[in-house]
Each structure stands twice: as C-alpha cells, then as structure tokens.
Amino acid sequence: MADWRSEEFYKERRDELEKRVGPRRFKHSLGVSETAEALACVYGADKTAARVAGLLHDWDKGYDDPGILARADELGMELDAELSAMPRVLHGLTAAVALGRAFPELPPEVLAALGAVDMSDLDMIVYIADALEPGRKGKMVQKLREKVGELELRDLFLEVYAYWVQLIMERRHPMYSKTTEIWNSYMPEQEVFR
C-alpha cells in the first residue's frame, strides 16, 4: 500500500488530476492544495492531510451533469430526489467514495474533507482554501484573506460560508438543503430563532 503522505503519492495524484479536469480547474486545485497547507500551518492542523485533501477536493469536478449522475450510479450511490436534481453538488460526494475505494490508505479525515456535514478543522481548512486560493479574485475574497490568523478557524469558516451562500443567492442558483442544515448547526439555537 502506498504511503499517502509521500511526495510520490502527491505527484501521482496531481498527474492523474491534470488528466481528469481542465487546465483552469487543475490550477485551482493546486492553489487550494497550497492554500490549505498554509492554513494548516496557521491553525495547527496536519499540513500533509490539508495539502492532499486540497488537491483532491475537485477530483470529480470534470464530469458534466449526466456524467456525474452516471458516476454516482457506477459507484452504487443511492441519491435522493434533491441530489438527483442538483448534480452540480455531487462531485465532492462521489470523489470521497471513489478515492476511498481506489486509495484505501487515505485516512477518513482526508476523505471527509471532500464532503462532510460535521466539519472538522481539516474540513474547514479545505473549505476556506477553496474560497481563498490565489486564483479567486474580488474585494470580499481579499477581505477574507486578511482575516486568516486574526479570526479563530470556526469564525473564519463561518465568514467564508456566509460569502458562498450570498454568492449562491446573488447568482440565483438553487440551494441544496444541507447548505442550510450546515449553517444552522453552527448557530446557537437562540441566534437561529431570534
């Protein structure tokens, strides 16, 4: 079994990823990997796990809607009606299943960072890195970057999460129900129902 912490494992997955996604997505994934590693240094998390999870986070992003639905079927995943109607949110879930099967040496926390509900520090780091990697532009992204190290990890995650939700609404995309569920899980009950 290969050592998932080795540079060889990282380079092999990087080379595979380059063939799986387009050049823009590949560059983005490299940026997420580097940013996740840097965030792990700031927030005291496992740098190697963050680097690998950041690289793999969009492993299945190269599929179009019919393709990702076929991928979920190929992996034996049972999808509810909501997920079937929103294939664009499936790539993290299919990647976690596929990578776990292909590389059983990957620890659960690295795979969980690809699609979790109860966010660990590593999950939050990869989520934040996805938003703040160098290829992302905009005033709000820059403001969020400036908060790295100033805010506790959970608070930075919530700021980034709120930013993504706002973008979803501004772009008038449908919102996956778990998006609200995750948000509410981080809010004390009295704040949710004020």
Side-chain angles (χ1 to χ4, degrees):
M1 199 177 299
D3 178 8
W4 71 272
R5 291 184 164 280
S6 71
E7 191 61 27
E8 180 183 357
F9 181 89
Y10 183 88
K11 286 179 181 177
E12 287 173 357
R13 299 304 72 78
R14 184 193 63 207
D15 292 348
E16 282 180 65
L17 181 66
E18 188 171 18
K19 295 171 186 164
R20 295 178 66 84
V21 297
R24 242 177 92 211
R25 181 65 51 189
F26 179 67
K27 184 177 178 184
H28 164 74
S29 293
L30 294 178
V32 173
S33 178
E34 293 167 11
T35 303
E37 183 177 26
L39 287 166
C41 289
V42 171
Y43 290 105
D46 184 325
K47 295 184 300 186
T48 302
R51 181 176 182 236
V52 171
L55 178 72
L56 301 177
H57 84 286
D58 275 349
W59 187 257
D60 276 358
K61 191 74 172 186
Y63 290 96
D64 61 8
D65 287 354
I68 198 71
L69 289 168
R71 173 79 158 159
D73 187 55
E74 163 198 327
L75 294 168
M77 297 172 66
E78 291 188 28
L79 304 179
D80 61 24
E82 182 184 20
L83 276 175
S84 294
M86 300 179 77
R88 66 184 344 206
V89 301
L90 283 174
H91 69 278
L93 301 171
T94 59
V97 172
L99 288 164
R101 289 181 186 171
F103 308 105
E105 66 272 22
L106 283 171
E109 62 270 16
V110 171
L111 296 173
L114 304 175
V117 174
D118 298 325
M119 305 288 264
S120 68
D121 286 357
L122 181 59
D123 297 325
M124 289 186 217
I125 284 169
V126 174
Y127 190 91
I128 293 165
D130 191 12
L132 304 186
E133 63 93 1
R136 301 277 193 197
K137 306 295 180 207
K139 290 179 188 174
M140 190 59 193
V141 171
Q142 189 53 41
K143 285 180 183 179
L144 289 166
R145 283 188 187 118
E146 291 167 6
K147 294 180 180 188
V148 171
E150 288 182 18
L151 294 178
E152 294 293 324
L153 180 61
R154 179 185 184 278
D155 294 332
L156 181 59
F157 163 72
L158 287 173
E159 295 233 0
V160 169
Y161 201 85
Y163 167 68
W164 279 129
V165 170
Q166 181 181 347
L167 281 181
I168 291 168
M169 290 190 295
E170 284 175 3
R171 294 174 181 172
R172 301 200 185 285
H173 290 303
M175 193 171 308
Y176 182 42
S177 62
K178 289 223 187 282
T179 302
T180 306
E181 182 183 320
I182 292 168
W183 178 261
N184 287 345
S185 75
Y186 285 91
M187 298 295 110
E189 190 173 320
Q190 65 273 14
E191 288 184 28
V192 174
F193 297 106
R194 262 189 202 161

